[in-house]
Amino acid sequence: MTTQYTEPTRAQRRDWAIKKADDRARAVYRNSLPQGICRLEALLDDAASPWHAEVIRARIEQVRAQSRYKNRRRRAMRRASRQDLEPRPSSR
C-alpha cells in the first residue's frame, strides 16, 4: 500500500523557502562567531538586532553543553583510570 502525498501549496513552499533561507543565514552567522563564552557574552551586549542576539544566545548554550559533555567524559576517564590503579583486594 502506497501513501499518497498531496502537492504542497504555494504558501507552504514559500514558507519552507523562507525557513530554509533563515536557517542558512543563522548557520553562516553562527559559524562566524568566536568559540569563547566570554567573547560571545560581550557580543551579546552589542547585538545588532534581536535576531542576532537569539543566534548568539543559542551559540552560548551550545558551547556550554559541549563543555559539560567534555568535562563529564574527562571525569569518567579519570575515575576509570584511578580504579585501574587501585590495588585489588587479595582473595585468600
Side-chain angles (χ1 to χ4, degrees):
M1 183 173 189
T2 4
T3 306
Q4 294 291 327
Y5 293 103
T6 60
E7 186 72 22
T9 64
R10 186 176 294 163
Q12 287 171 327
R13 282 196 301 266
R14 187 185 63 237
D15 291 344
W16 180 78
I18 290 169
K19 183 185 179 319
K20 188 174 175 182
D22 185 59
D23 289 348
R24 283 184 179 151
R26 284 175 184 273
V28 168
Y29 183 64
R30 183 183 60 239
N31 292 337
S32 72
L33 293 172
Q35 292 288 318
I37 290 178
C38 292
R39 284 183 177 175
L40 287 168
E41 286 175 343
L43 278 176
L44 187 58
D45 295 336
D46 301 329
S49 71
W51 183 86
H52 289 86
E54 183 182 333
V55 174
I56 293 170
R57 270 191 225 98
R59 182 67 176 149
I60 289 171
E61 286 305 312
Q62 183 184 23
V63 169
R64 285 185 175 146
Q66 288 171 342
S67 297
R68 283 192 299 269
Y69 175 77
K70 186 176 179 180
N71 290 338
R72 280 190 207 115
R73 297 233 345 151
R74 191 179 297 143
R75 279 190 219 112
M77 294 297 283
R78 265 193 233 132
R79 237 180 275 124
S81 67
R82 276 192 216 126
Q83 287 174 352
D84 289 344
L85 295 175
E86 289 178 3
R88 300 185 189 263
S90 58
S91 55
R92 285 189 189 183

